[in-house]
Amino acid sequence: MLFIISTPIGNLADITYRAVATLQECDYILCEDTRHSGPLLTKYSINKPLYSYHQHNEASRTDQVLKDLLDGKRVALISDAGTPGISDPGHQIIVACHQADIPVVPIPGPSAVIAALSASPLPTDRFQFIGFLPKSQGALKQALQDALAYPGTTACYESPFRLSKTLKALCALTESAPVAVCRELTKVYEEIRWGSAKEVREHYEQHPPKGEIVLLIGHFELKLEHAEEDMSHQEALRILAKRLNMSRNELYALINKKSSC
Ligand code: SAM
């Protein structure tokens, strides 16, 4: 049996009883970096053999793990933080298990994308997760255009070193799109800063961010900015609010007011 176990994304207390019990009872643990997972496992008195399982040995490890699983061993998979397989290794062994009829059991818990969505003001009734944004300028622009066109919230993982460049590219498409930067979630310097792309960009140009970031981008109809010129301000707000699934007051605050976070 393969257990896919979510571990904390910062605060070591964010782990479920079931996750701890499963880690204590398994035959061995696969983790990305044995040094990184050490403190968590020590804190919860988990003393099991640890084997590395990361993007560079995922393919070669899978065969041996599969043999162990077929022999009836109980194997736990964790990543450095959050949920394995979510922008982290795991997919390959999970597919192999399903193909071999080996049960794959999720032990759910933290994931940065869900934590960010759950606490941001952007709509969550419909969302997509696109992992890390592409680095090249052309691919980034396309990804941002797709995010704006998506009729819900788009969540992506972002590096603090690239956030400014990404917000600049977004502002080149529209300065008004609603965005939220969810930074260092569950940690000491946790921050959720939201507003229009322009407001959030200006803030981070003045205060370069550190730490880990989930960037959320709201739906925004690019051509509506031009249509707005031909209609009253109130009418444009009404249409936009409806499309963003927000009240007019919420939208007005998002677009026109300084971020209050
Ligand atoms: N599997 C993980 C999960 O389920 O959240 C994600 C792993 S991915 C390699 C790491 C990225 O997740 C970071 O670069 C950052 O974008 C995001 N992330 C992880 N922890 C975070 C946190 N505490 N606050 C904000 N973003 C975080």
Side-chain angles (χ1 to χ4, degrees):
M1 213 174 253
L2 177 69
F3 296 94
I4 309 300
I5 304 186
S6 301
T7 57
I9 56 170
N11 187 325
L12 288 191
D14 292 334
I15 188 161
T16 67
Y17 291 117
R18 190 170 168 229
V20 172
T22 307
L23 286 165
Q24 284 169 339
E25 287 159 14
C26 69
D27 289 298
Y28 65 82
I29 300 168
L30 297 172
C31 61
E32 274 188 278
D33 181 342
T34 50
R35 285 162 307 175
H36 182 98
S37 297
L40 175 77
L41 301 175
T42 305
K43 181 174 166 67
Y44 290 101
S45 309
I46 296 160
N47 256 313
K48 291 290 170 180
L50 276 184
Y51 298 107
S52 69
Y53 187 83
H54 46 67
Q55 57 174 350
H56 303 297
N57 72 356
E58 201 171 355
S60 58
R61 261 286 191 256
T62 295
D63 282 351
Q64 180 57 49
V65 176
L66 214 53
K67 278 189 198 124
D68 292 339
L69 289 164
L70 286 167
D71 283 348
K73 289 214 162 35
R74 294 160 68 87
V75 178
L77 174 67
I78 61 175
S79 59
D80 279 353
T83 301
I86 307 299
S87 294
D88 265 342
H91 183 67
Q92 208 160 322
I93 182 84
I94 290 165
V95 170
C97 284
H98 283 288
Q99 286 168 346
D101 266 343
I102 295 164
V104 179
V105 180
I107 311 284
S111 187
V113 57
I114 297 299
L117 283 161
S118 73
S120 101
L122 271 65
T124 50
D125 53 343
R126 188 168 181 178
F127 64 84
Q128 64 170 353
F129 172 60
I130 58 170
F132 285 95
L133 285 166
K135 289 183 188 145
S136 86
Q137 199 63 32
L140 175 64
K141 183 178 174 193
Q142 185 61 57
L144 293 174
Q145 272 171 344
D146 293 346
L148 292 169
Y150 175 72
T153 297
T154 297
C156 51
Y157 289 155
E158 183 55 301
S159 137
F161 310 110
R162 283 197 297 273
L163 182 68
S164 266
K165 193 176 151 202
T166 298
L167 291 174
K168 188 175 169 197
L170 185 59
C171 283
L173 296 170
T174 171
E175 293 191 324
S176 308
V179 303
V181 170
C182 306
R183 195 173 66 79
E184 292 288 272
L185 298 173
T186 77
K187 303 186 207 176
V188 176
Y189 296 107
E190 179 177 272
E191 172 185 58
I192 298 175
R193 184 162 292 275
W194 61 276
S196 68
K198 180 174 188 277
E199 289 166 340
V200 175
R201 176 190 173 195
E202 282 172 358
H203 172 83
Y204 284 111
E205 275 176 0
Q206 283 156 27
H207 307 91
K210 288 185 181 154
E212 299 191 284
I213 290 170
V214 181
L215 173 63
L216 304 178
I217 301 170
H219 172 59
F220 196 84
E221 197 72 62
L222 288 172
K223 58 182 188 296
L224 211 60
E225 282 184 309
H226 303 294
E228 269 180 281
E229 290 163 13
D230 297 321
M231 63 178 85
S232 76
H233 187 61
Q234 285 306 315
E235 177 68 359
L237 265 183
R238 189 185 64 73
I239 293 173
L240 270 177
K242 195 166 170 226
R243 292 190 180 194
L244 291 170
N245 198 18
M246 290 176 165
S247 73
R248 262 183 283 179
N249 283 347
E250 286 170 335
L251 178 64
Y252 196 77
L254 198 60
I255 292 175
N256 292 321
K257 297 239 164 66
K258 270 262 166 227
S259 166
S260 61
C261 296

